[in-house]
Amino acid sequence: MTLPTDIFMRPPVKWCRIEEKAERLLEECRAFEGKERVPLPIPVERWIERPLDHQFGIEDLSRYGPGVLGCVFIDEREILVSDRIRTDGRFRFTCAHELGHMVLHAGK
């Protein structure tokens, strides 16, 4: 199944809003874990589920089209990342990227 492209048409988000939301998420997760500082590397794949309370899965996403590395289902509060990149350097980036879509586009 290939996803229709018209569902991806969203209004642009201002950079200052993106940065503000990212900093707020980092602070929320840091506080949840009771850490003095944000841990490095940032455990984004763990934070998606707790404390951010989204479903998270790693699976074959080829049914959505060739080259799809991540998907967000906003109404279901679910983020999926391709099993093809589980041990790849793109994994954590893709987790964070999809989380960004979840946070920035919720309610649109």
Side-chain angles (χ1 to χ4, degrees):
M1 167 175 105
T2 302
L3 295 175
T5 56
D6 62 330
I7 64 170
F8 298 112
M9 303 307 290
R10 301 286 183 241
V13 179
K14 294 182 179 179
W15 285 109
C16 58
R17 182 168 174 239
I18 294 171
E19 188 173 346
E20 176 184 299
K21 286 201 171 216
E23 287 176 1
R24 195 173 325 134
L25 280 177
L26 287 171
E27 177 57 25
E28 178 183 335
C29 293
R30 182 208 58 78
F32 177 83
E33 289 198 341
K35 304 275 187 189
E36 189 173 315
R37 295 189 173 133
V38 173
L40 296 176
I42 296 170
V44 65
E45 65 273 22
R46 187 178 81 229
W47 285 359
I48 287 172
E49 289 189 308
R50 295 293 301 143
L52 300 177
D53 201 29
H54 300 290
Q55 299 296 316
F56 178 69
I58 301 167
E59 60 184 68
D60 178 2
L61 300 180
S62 61
R63 67 185 174 276
Y64 298 115
V68 172
L69 300 179
C71 294
V72 170
F73 301 94
I74 292 174
D75 291 341
E76 294 81 4
R77 296 181 57 83
E78 181 177 26
I79 294 173
L80 299 176
V81 175
S82 173
D83 59 357
R84 293 181 308 139
I85 60 169
R86 180 63 181 106
T87 59
D88 190 314
R90 295 175 291 179
F91 179 75
R92 288 178 49 257
F93 172 85
T94 302
C95 291
H97 179 88
E98 299 304 328
L99 178 59
H101 285 298
M102 179 70 78
V103 172
L104 293 171
H105 300 302
K108 300 230 189 278

